[in-house]
Amino acid sequence: MAQQEMSLSWFSLLSLLLFKVFVSGVFSLNPNGSEYISAVGDPGMRSDSLRVAIEAWNQCNEVGEEAPKMGSPRAAECSDVLDSQQQGGNCSACTRVPPSLVHRVTEEDNLLGIGKSFDGLDKKALFNPDLYAAEKELYLGSKCQVDDKPNPWQFWMIMLKSGNMDTYAAKCPKNGHKVGPFGPPSQFPCFGKGCMNQPLIYHNYTYLQGPNETTLKGSFYGSWDLDSGLSQTSVNENISYYSVTWQKELGQGSWIFHHVLRTSTKYPWLMLYLRSDATSGFSGGYHYQTRGMSKIIPESPNFKVRFTLNVINGGGPNSQFYLMDMGSCWKNNGEPCNGDVTTDVTRYSEMILNPATPSWCKSDSPKLCPPYHTYPNGTRVHRSETTRYPYEAYHLYCAPGNGEHVEQPSVPCDPYSNPQPQEILQILPHPVWGEYGYPTTKGQGWIGDPKTWELDVGRLSQSLYFYQDPGTAPAKRKWSSIDLGTEIYRDANQVAEWTVTDFDILVPNKN
Ligand SMILES: *[C@@H]1O[C@H](CO)[C@@H](O)[C@H](O)[C@H]1NC(C)=O
Ligand SMILES: *[C@@H]1O[C@H](CO)[C@@H](O)[C@H](O)[C@H]1NC(C)=O
Ligand SMILES: *[C@@H]1O[C@H](CO)[C@@H](O)[C@H](O)[C@H]1NC(C)=O
Ligand SMILES: *[C@@H]1O[C@H](CO)[C@@H](O)[C@H](O)[C@H]1NC(C)=O
Ligand SMILES: *[C@@H]1O[C@H](CO)[C@@H](O)[C@H](O)[C@H]1NC(C)=O
Ligand SMILES: *[C@@H]1O[C@H](CO)[C@@H](O)[C@H](O)[C@H]1NC(C)=O
């Protein structure tokens, strides 16, 4: 099915543009300018200057091994459009592409990989692929950084992840503790040795194109199938594939980020997200210093997220399309994370948009339900109160593997897929979320229904259940990653395709 639909994608994009013209006339939800400010470096994706990076993670959010000839799986494109006056100046560090576009990151920077030194590289990272990637991200960030108040910022982050795991290779710790080989790996796909490889990453640099050279367009794309070999990789082959193409008209509107993700027999579990990560500190699921777009870290309950999403292809029944995916980190005693992977806990919450996703939280089997649901008026309902608890509002809840007082029955989260324990709360479209601007019925915002969302993510995330040890002060819920995208879970030969535009995070203006 997917391949026929692919060719229609740019038509769908066109209809999204028409849709946007339509909504801009009637859409007046904008919070008052004086009350809210943007937390991101490029509010609404409207700057002609581009700041975008890409990263690839293995099952436990590390590199493990670099793909041949690809360098470390971190790359960036940061370009500035200069008017003719600006072009008169000096730009010794830049490579010039057509007249008025300057690229801050070179191909050589993007191909940096273990064994190759660069400014600021710590010696102990030189031959360690995991540490090297983390430092390369900082280096690319230094080339892309834009000074701003209250903090400088660097780039949107495209994140790729493969769920393959070679349990016999013992590469991933369990809840942050090193473990030996085990098997067979029933819960993880793996075609054999080397199944945790990093993808091929190709780059089409942005340049001004179109009849009047007024369209900025570029992309990152590739495959996890290393033997596919060709840089002409495309979605129309039976191999894994991803691409993110960005496009913008000079001086007008938003960047359009167009995403494609395809799974294959060897790589049936793949993820592709566009993230607004913290510009320093840790970001969701990443236990190294990060770089990103959120110059202010949004904190519950006071923030909103606005964007336009057009889902063109869903990615099949097992595509967990996240309307909103938030990542944070705090310890079970409520304290902020400090990099100790045995006590830090990644906290995730996601709204799954795919109408095919069922609720696994059931009144007669509450182990996958969070212990409590809290209504917007503050009323808290226990999962045993079958007449008042909204079971269908939840896909699943799983508890942190190191929670000592988790209410039973419960299911622990996958102990391997993060460098540290994790807790996940996944919600589904349901009337209980309507108060926060989220979809209330299945199908809203799905294929054929592009929408501009303004989500009260702050209030919603404040109301959600997350585990803490009894008697501890509630954690400050600071969301260092706010993402959009999909995770196609163990389903080969599925294609997902979507666009994101106008992305912004709004926080109260404290001045
Ligand atoms: C928006 O800001 C204006 C000017 O600062 C103020 O007068 C008005 O009350 C605000 N509107 C709302 C809805 O708070
Ligand atoms: C550019 O930089 C060089 C070396 O720093 C300097 O000699 C030259 O005068 C500069 N040119 C302009 C136009 O600023
Ligand atoms: C990258 O550029 C090549 C050559 O122009 C083109 O064939 C290919 O479709 C582009 N790929 C993407 C994903 O934009
Ligand atoms: C290119 O410029 C010409 C002349 O200004 C204009 O008529 C035409 O619509 C432009 N084309 C596009 C695709 O923007
Ligand atoms: C992809 O696989 C399908 C079914 O397995 C087959 O019919 C098709 O010809 C293959 N396409 C290519 C390009 O190999
Ligand atoms: C709060 O909302 C819930 C769900 O709508 C309702 O059942 C309950 O009566 C409300 N409680 C109060 C105190 O208004």
Side-chain angles (χ1 to χ4, degrees), residues 10 202-205 207 217-222 231-234 241-246:
W10 288 96
Y202 298 112
H203 184 183
N204 283 353
Y205 272 94
Y207 67 100
K217 188 175 172 186
S219 60
F220 284 121
Y221 62 102
S231 57
Q232 307 310 331
T233 300
S234 96
Y241 178 78
Y242 69 88
S243 68
V244 178
T245 305
W246 47 84

Side-chain angles (χ1 to χ4, degrees), residues 46-121:
R46 300 193 112 67
S47 169
D48 287 340
S49 294
L50 178 71
R51 292 289 180 278
V52 64
I54 188 166
E55 63 183 356
W57 296 1
N58 70 13
Q59 169 66 314
C60 40
N61 302 358
E62 300 282 8
V63 172
E65 210 176 312
E66 293 175 358
K69 301 202 181 105
M70 286 288 123
S72 178
R74 301 289 181 274
E77 185 180 311
C78 297
S79 51
D80 292 308
V81 177
L82 301 185
D83 60 32
S84 50
Q85 242 178 351
Q86 289 168 309
Q87 285 184 56
N90 250 344
C91 185
S92 55
C94 321
T95 310
R96 283 194 192 181
V97 189
S100 55
L101 197 61
V102 170
H103 287 283
R104 307 286 172 192
V105 179
T106 64
E107 212 164 326
E108 203 179 1
D109 293 327
N110 281 336
L111 285 171
L112 285 170
I114 50 163
K116 290 186 197 152
S117 195
F118 54 81
D119 276 355
L121 181 73

Side-chain angles (χ1 to χ4, degrees), residues 431-467:
V432 296
W433 312 122
E435 169 87 11
Y436 309 110
Y438 279 67
T440 53
T441 56
K442 284 176 190 272
Q444 270 175 11
W446 194 236
I447 301 164
D449 187 24
K451 269 197 192 323
T452 298
W453 298 95
E454 182 165 289
L455 305 176
D456 195 342
V457 183
R459 273 175 68 221
L460 175 115
S461 56
Q462 183 73 5
S463 81
L464 295 178
Y465 175 85
F466 283 103
Y467 171 82

